[in-house]
Amino acid sequence: MNIEVERWSELTPPDPEALRRSLQDEGYSVFQWTDLPGTAYGEHSHPEDQSHWIISGELRMYVGHESYTLRAGDRDFLPANTLHSASVPDKEPVVYLIGAKH
């Protein structure tokens, strides 16, 4: 799998509207999603490319035998049909943008 993760390196917290505009400029359809602590999604895939961009909280992603945790400002790129699962490991909700591109 060719999963890419970009880590937030700015000194200021991410601006949700700026992240949304960036995703839209890249051709993604974008919506905001919130998951509560303890939420878990079993293994699944999507027919389109996806990118998750974290606004606040943490989201743990699992792809094959690898896992990574996305925090505020972090972003991943998931190619279409990539089997993955996810969970919210923290005691706080995670708020994130999901970009989908066909």
Side-chain angles (χ1 to χ4, degrees):
M1 270 315 120
N2 188 16
I3 305 304
E4 247 185 274
V5 176
E6 286 182 2
R7 299 293 179 187
W8 189 251
S9 61
E10 304 294 323
L11 297 176
T12 57
D15 172 2
E17 285 310 309
L19 301 183
R20 177 184 295 276
R21 282 191 305 275
S22 182
L23 281 167
Q24 289 170 333
D25 288 349
E26 293 174 21
Y28 288 94
S29 299
V30 183
F31 61 96
Q32 184 170 310
W33 195 257
T34 301
D35 285 319
L36 298 175
T39 299
Y41 296 98
E43 193 171 60
H44 63 285
S45 65
H46 304 278
E48 70 279 344
D49 292 340
Q50 281 199 347
S51 182
H52 304 95
W53 211 336
I54 308 302
I55 296 170
S56 64
E58 292 184 2
L59 181 66
R60 184 162 298 140
M61 301 289 292
Y62 306 90
V63 179
H65 297 291
E66 297 182 29
S67 70
Y68 54 93
T69 300
L70 299 170
R71 294 175 181 84
D74 293 346
R75 176 183 184 189
D76 71 357
F77 299 86
L78 228 57
N81 302 310
T82 301
L83 283 174
H84 64 283
S85 57
S87 66
V88 182
D90 209 351
K91 295 179 181 169
E92 295 182 24
V94 61
V95 179
Y96 55 107
L97 299 175
I98 299 175
K101 188 185 331 183
H102 293 280

